[in-house]
C-alpha cells in the first residue's frame, strides 16, 4: 500500500463530463505580485512566462528586502529573490480585486523563501488568513527552501484579502502572491467553503518535472509522483478536456499496476494520513483512457476509500477526461485513509489513474486580531 502526503475521504461523489473548447493561453484575470521589488516595477518571468508587478497599491506598509546573496542561485525563480517584510503591526493585509469580484472563484497562492533577508538567521513563524478565515501557519524550517500555500476561495465581497498575522517574536514576510480565476462550476463545496490544497499529484510523469502555466491555463502546480510497482502508459494524441481542464502534459500519462512486480496486478492503492482527525477533505480523481481497446476488451474498475464504495464501476472514455469528485465531505475521526481502485470481475484490463487533487476544507475560524 503506497502512502501519499495526506489524502482524503468523502461520502458522496459525482463526476464531471462537461467538455469545453481549448482556449488560448493568456493571463486574463491573473494577479501576479512579486513582493519586495521597487514600486512601479514589472517584468515577465523567463521560466513561466508570467507577468509580475510590485505589491505597491495592494498592501499598506511593509519593507522591501532582498534575500542574502548566498541563497540567490541560478535555479531560483525570480519572485523568490525579494520579499516584503512586516516588522510593525500585528496584522498586515493584501487586498486583491479580481475582475469577476464576488461572483468568481479563485485560486490564491502565497509563496515564501526566507533566504536570511534580514541577516538575523531567525526562521520566522506566523499565521496566514484569507479574509477572516484562518488559512494556515507558515513555519519556515529552512532558509533556502521555497514553500507555498494554495487555496481555492469564493469571496463574500468584491475583493480578496490575504493577511499575515504576527504570532511570536519573528517577523512575517512574503515573497509572492498570486490569484487565478477558475471556472465557477468546478471545486464546488458545501456553503461555498474555502479549500486549502493538501496535495496535487501527476501520476506517470515522463519528465519528472512540475507542470504549471502555460500548460495549465489555471496555473495549478502539478507535482510528479511515482507509485511503486506501477508502469506508465501514455499517448501523443490530444485529450478532450472537461471543465477542470487538467493539462495535456498531465492527462496524457497514467499508471497501471506492473504485471510483473505488483503484489496485486488488479488494483491500484495508496494511503494518506490526515493532519487532523476532524478535518474534512475533498478529492478529485482524474481519468482518461489512453489505449484504444478493441470492442472485445474493457477497462472497468471501482473506487473504494476505507473499504466503502466511493464510485463505480466505471470505464474511462478513450482520450477524454473524466473527473470523479467529492460532493459532501465526510469526517470519520480517523487518521489514515486507504484508497483502492479495483478491477471488476468482467474487466479485461487493470485500472489506471492519471492524476489526483486533495483539498482540506477551511473551517472559518475568525481571527481575534
Amino acid at each position: 500500500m503506497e502512502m501519499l502526503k495526506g489524502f482524503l475521504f468523502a461520502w458522496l461523489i459525482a463526476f464531471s463530463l462537461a467538455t469545453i473548447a481549448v482556449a488560448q493561453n493568456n493571463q486574463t484575470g491573473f494577479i501576479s505580485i512579486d513582493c519586495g521589488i521597487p514600486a512601479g516595477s514589472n517584468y515577465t518571468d523567463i521560466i513561466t512566462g508570467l507577468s509580475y508587478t510590485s505589491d505597491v497599491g495592494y498592501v499598506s506598509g511593509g519593507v522591501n528586502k532582498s534575500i542574502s546573496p548566498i541563497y540567490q542561485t541560478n535555479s531560483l525563480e525570480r519572485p523568490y529573490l525579494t520579499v516584503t517584510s512586516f516588522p510593525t503591526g500585528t496584522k498586515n493585509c493584501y487586498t486583491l480585486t479580481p475582475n469577476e469580484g464576488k461572483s468568481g472563484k479563485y485560486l490564491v497562492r502565497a509563496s515564501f523563501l526566507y533566504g536570511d533577508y534580514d541577516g538575523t538567521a531567525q526562521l520566522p513563524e506566523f499565521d496566514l488568513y484569507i479574509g477572516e478565515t484562518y488559512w494556515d501557519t507558515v513555519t519556515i524550517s529552512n532558509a533556502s527552501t521555497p514553500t507555498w500555500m494554495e487555496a481555492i476561495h469564493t469571496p463574500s465581497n468584491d475583493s480578496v484579502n490575504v493577511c499575515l498575522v504576527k504570532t511570536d517574536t519573528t517577523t512575517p514576510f512574503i515573497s509572492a502572491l498570486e490569484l487565478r480565476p477558475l471556472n465557477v462550476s468546478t471545486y464546488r463545496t458545501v456553503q461555498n467553503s474555502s479549500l486549502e490544497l493538501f496535495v496535487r499529484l501527476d501520476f506517470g510523469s515522463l519528465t519528472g518535472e512540475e507542470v504549471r502555466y502555460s500548460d495549465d491555463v489555471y496555473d495549478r502546480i502539478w507535482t510528479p509522483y511515482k507509485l511503486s510497482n506501477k508502469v506508465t502508459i501514455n499517448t501523443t494524441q490530444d485529450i478532450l478536456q472537461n471543465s477542470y481542464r487538467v493539462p495535456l502534459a498531465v492527462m496524457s500519462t497514467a499508471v497501471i499496476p506492473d504485471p510483473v512486480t505488483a503484489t496485486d496486478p488488479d488494483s491500484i492503492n495508496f494511503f494518506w494520513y490526515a493532519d487532523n482527525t476532524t478535518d474534512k477533505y475533498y478529492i478529485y480523481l482524474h481519468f482518461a483512457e489512453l489505449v484504444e481497446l478493441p470492442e472485445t476488451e474493457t477497462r472497468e474498475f471501482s473506487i473504494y476509500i476505507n473499504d466503502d464504495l466511493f464510485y463505480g464501476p466505471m470505464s474511462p472514455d478513450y482520450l477524454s477526461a473524466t473527473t470523479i469528485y467529492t460532493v459532501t465531505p465526510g469526517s470519520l475521526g480517523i487518521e489514515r485513509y486507504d484508497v483502492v481502485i479495483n478491477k471488476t470481475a468482467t474487466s479485461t484490463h487493470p485500472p489506471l489513474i492519471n492524476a489526483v487533487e486533495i483539498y482540506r476544507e477551511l473551517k472559518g475560524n475568525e481571527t481575534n486580531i
Side-chain angles (χ1 to χ4, degrees), residues 32 78 100 110 212 290 325:
S32 304
R78 186 170 174 179
E100 298 176 13
R212 63 175 299 185
L290 306 182
Y325 60 90

Side-chain angles (χ1 to χ4, degrees), residues 12-48:
L12 300 175
I13 49 74
F15 61 92
S16 172
L17 293 173
T19 59
I20 58 175
V22 177
Q24 294 179 346
N25 288 330
N26 63 68
Q27 298 175 45
T28 301
F30 282 24
I31 298 175
S32 304
I33 302 171
D34 183 342
C35 306
I37 63 175
S41 299
N42 59 78
Y43 65 89
T44 298
D45 187 86
I46 60 173
I47 297 175
T48 63

Side-chain angles (χ1 to χ4, degrees), residues 191-312:
Q191 299 178 338
N192 277 334
S193 300
S194 297
L195 298 174
E196 179 183 20
L197 179 66
F198 199 55
V199 70
R200 182 186 293 120
L201 302 177
D202 172 11
F203 295 126
S205 171
L206 296 176
T207 65
E209 298 177 352
E210 286 184 343
V211 175
R212 63 175 299 185
Y213 184 85
S214 62
D215 290 310
D216 190 318
V217 296
Y218 297 138
D219 192 26
R220 292 162 295 191
I221 298 174
W222 299 86
T223 302
Y225 191 90
K226 291 183 69 67
L227 288 169
S228 60
N229 299 314
K230 306 295 181 292
V231 294
T232 297
I233 59 174
N234 69 289
T235 183
T236 57
Q237 300 188 62
D238 286 339
I239 307 291
L240 184 64
Q241 294 180 313
N242 61 14
S243 56
Y244 286 87
R245 303 189 69 178
V246 179
L248 176 62
V250 174
M251 293 303 294
S252 63
T253 63
V255 292
I256 61 173
D258 188 322
V260 177
T261 65
T263 303
D264 183 353
D266 294 332
S267 70
I268 296 172
N269 49 64
F270 42 82
F271 69 91
W272 76 95
Y273 288 102
D275 286 340
N276 191 305
T277 57
T278 62
D279 286 344
K280 294 183 178 181
Y281 295 91
Y282 287 76
I283 185 169
Y284 302 83
L285 298 158
H286 303 290
F287 302 96
E289 176 60 73
L290 306 182
V291 179
E292 188 170 13
L293 302 176
E295 291 185 4
T296 56
E297 299 179 16
T298 59
R299 190 189 309 276
E300 185 181 70
F301 50 83
S302 296
I303 306 164
Y304 297 85
I305 302 182
N306 287 4
D307 296 325
D308 291 325
L309 180 65
F310 184 70
Y311 190 81

